[in-house]
Amino acid sequence: MTMPENGEGAVAALSLTSSTVNEITVVKVDGVLDATTREQFADYLSLSGPDLILDLAGVTFMDSRALGLIVHQWQTSLATSSRFALVGVEYSKSKVMWITGLAQRLPLYDTLDDALAAIG
């Protein structure tokens, strides 16, 4: 899906796919997480189970609105004793996570295997 930006051209698509590993929903995110894709991302996350791993290795850019959705998922998991992790987060594409200080607080792992070992 390609979304227009102010009626001109197109922006990068957002692709969301999911699978289940050890009864944990793993959502693979590819593309831009910003105001133009926030609703699509939020809708997709609302369909995921309580235990969630977000694979952000394919993210090309993330803004504060997308980070807000991720933080909401994390806080919900803490409140419900659910499992939650982020994998494949890259500073150059998700700077907002470091600027806000959340990179030091969110459960970040290099690989899916690392996350599964930690929370599985």
Side-chain angles (χ1 to χ4, degrees):
M1 180 172 144
T2 304
M3 302 187 70
E5 183 176 14
N6 297 329
E8 293 184 27
V11 295
L14 177 64
S15 172
L16 301 163
T17 56
S18 64
S19 59
T20 303
V21 180
N22 298 345
E23 300 180 6
I24 301 171
T25 302
V26 179
V27 175
K28 185 164 175 32
V29 183
D30 291 298
V32 175
L33 287 174
D34 67 5
T36 64
T37 58
R38 183 189 187 285
E39 188 173 331
Q40 178 186 357
F41 187 46
D43 290 347
Y44 201 88
L45 289 178
S46 72
L47 301 174
S48 67
D51 297 317
L52 180 65
I53 294 174
L54 292 176
D55 181 346
L56 303 176
V59 170
T60 57
F61 173 79
M62 179 190 301
D63 74 1
S64 61
R65 290 180 180 157
L67 180 57
L69 288 173
I70 291 169
V71 168
H72 176 74
Q73 288 293 135
W74 173 56
Q75 290 173 331
T76 299
S77 74
L78 292 174
T80 60
S81 298
S82 301
R83 297 176 286 180
F84 179 83
L86 303 173
V87 299
V89 179
E90 294 181 37
Y91 173 80
S92 63
K93 299 170 184 172
S94 306
K95 289 180 186 173
V96 67
M97 207 174 282
W98 276 263
I99 292 168
T100 60
L102 287 165
Q104 288 76 34
R105 299 191 63 206
L106 290 165
L108 302 179
Y109 300 92
D110 291 333
T111 67
L112 179 58
D113 288 341
D114 291 345
L116 289 168
I119 70 168

